[in-house]
Amino acid sequence: MLNYKQLYYFWNVARSGSITRAAERLHLTPQTISGQLAELERSLGADLFRRVGRRLDLTSAGKLALSHADEIFQIGHELEQSLRSGSAGGDLLFRVGIADAVPKSIAHRLLAPAIALPERVCLVCREEKLDQLFGDLAIHKLDLVIADRPLPSELGVRGYSHALGQSAVAFFGVPALAERYRPGFPASLDGAPMLLPGDRAAMQGPVARWLHDNRIHPQIVGKFDDTALMKAFGKAGVGVFPAPVILEEELRTQYGAESIGFARDVVVRYYAISVERRLTHPAVVALHNAAQESMLGETPAAGGR
């Protein structure tokens, strides 16, 4: 009888492209993975990988095994979801990974429709780096990942990116800074103290290009992977900072920050990423449908250049 644990190890190695990465994801030693792969190949009577330099490539038998493994573990995932949402009893478990670059208030807004379902939903949220979240999604530890970018193809993770919405981006600051830098925006930002999102945020690249295109050279006070921390520094008046326009009311009431001007053509987008091309989890369907009916924000017609 086929050893499905060994098949699961093979599936993870094939999808991650390396025994080392698969071992890290599964919290096992590379020696354990290698031994189990060797046992699987012996039981199947076929080599599944061939080593090309330091890289593992699938053989023709490995490609065939991977296609069946994809179906097997997808069916297993669907069975698990059916039992959770069907007559098995208990709450509907909804495991969500949230990229650390996604503002908490936007994540809450996106997830609210799932909590409003008629059945009781137990929401389990994890905030992590995107590559870790994508890895957990691939092995079905998560039902969904909410991110500010689509799933990168180079990760080797099989998944589907479903657009949720978008928001224009503006620069904000406490009243004293807003009053100082609003006249003459965006040229007024040249030399201004500025807080910027870190390299892990999808907004970082478009904002940097916008600054370059407008010949703005700010005094960069800090870069932040955690948007909440960036807003906290902004609240203290350390510098102006970019943020989605949809957060304008929150920034005004909670952080005392005012809009200085729009960064024209800079848009931040949000995605629901799942292993399913066709969404089936009731909470994911509710989240996606609500986002499609009411997009997060619209790019304003007026604003900075």
Side-chain angles (χ1 to χ4, degrees):
M1 183 176 177
L2 182 64
N3 186 314
Y4 287 96
K5 180 175 286 189
Q6 293 173 352
L7 184 66
Y8 185 63
Y9 294 162
F10 157 76
W11 186 58
N12 275 276
V13 172
R15 290 165 67 93
S16 64
S18 112
I19 289 176
T20 301
R21 282 197 293 270
E24 290 173 353
R25 183 176 296 172
L26 296 171
H27 305 291
L28 297 169
T29 65
Q31 293 79 8
T32 298
I33 300 290
S34 296
Q36 292 296 302
L37 282 180
E39 289 290 335
L40 179 63
E41 289 178 327
R42 276 195 290 271
S43 67
L44 294 175
D47 292 332
L48 302 176
F49 293 101
R50 60 172 168 267
R51 186 169 292 280
V52 179
R54 301 180 64 180
R55 188 179 72 247
L56 285 178
D57 284 352
L58 287 167
T59 63
S60 57
K63 292 176 182 177
L64 178 62
L66 178 60
S67 66
H68 285 290
D70 281 336
E71 294 180 22
I72 288 169
F73 294 117
Q74 179 61 36
I75 291 170
H77 176 65
E78 291 172 0
L79 171 61
E80 183 182 16
Q81 297 305 324
S82 297
L83 291 174
R84 283 182 181 147
S85 58
S87 58
D91 296 346
L92 175 63
L93 184 62
F94 186 29
R95 304 164 301 174
V96 183
I98 302 172
D100 49 13
V102 175
K104 311 298 185 295
S105 53
I106 286 181
H108 171 264
R109 193 175 306 195
L110 290 171
L111 290 170
I115 300 296
L117 285 172
E119 55 264 62
R120 294 194 312 177
V121 175
C122 177
L123 180 63
V124 179
C125 290
R126 282 187 50 215
E127 186 181 30
E128 257 292 358
K129 296 179 182 178
L130 266 182
D131 53 355
Q132 179 63 49
L133 294 177
F134 289 150
D136 288 345
L137 180 71
I139 59 176
H140 303 300
K141 286 186 176 181
L142 295 172
D143 301 306
L144 188 75
V145 170
I146 293 178
D148 60 350
R149 67 187 69 198
L151 178 67
S153 58
E154 63 269 17
L155 284 183
V157 174
R158 182 174 177 178
Y160 302 94
S161 302
H162 310 274
L164 291 175
Q166 66 182 39
S167 175
V169 171
F171 282 86
F172 295 85
V174 295
L177 292 177
E179 184 178 350
R180 178 178 178 182
Y181 293 109
R182 191 177 290 129
F185 179 90
S188 59
L189 294 182
D190 192 47
M194 189 170 292
L195 312 171
L196 291 174
D199 294 339
R200 294 211 298 263
M203 184 169 55
Q204 187 270 341
V207 168
R209 286 192 293 274
W210 182 85
L211 292 171
H212 177 270
D213 292 344
N214 284 275
R215 296 174 180 167
I216 296 169
H217 303 89
Q219 174 196 348
I220 299 175
V221 180
K223 293 186 176 182
F224 304 84
D225 289 330
D226 187 334
T227 57
L229 185 59
M230 182 177 71
K231 289 183 286 189
F233 273 79
K235 181 179 181 179
V238 175
V240 302
F241 59 94
V245 173
I246 193 173
L247 299 180
E248 183 168 4
E249 180 63 21
E250 173 194 334
L251 293 171
R252 184 180 63 80
T253 57
Q254 296 185 26
Y255 295 91
E258 299 178 1
S259 173
I260 299 172
F262 295 112
R264 186 183 293 275
D265 299 328
V266 179
V267 176
V268 59
R269 295 179 172 84
Y270 298 99
Y271 299 86
I273 301 171
S274 74
V275 293
E276 303 167 325
R277 183 190 300 272
R278 182 178 63 86
L279 300 177
T280 58
H281 190 294
V284 179
V285 172
L287 181 156
H288 184 261
N289 290 344
Q292 294 303 299
E293 291 172 6
S294 177
M295 299 295 279
L296 285 174
E298 297 180 356
T299 304
R305 292 187 293 273

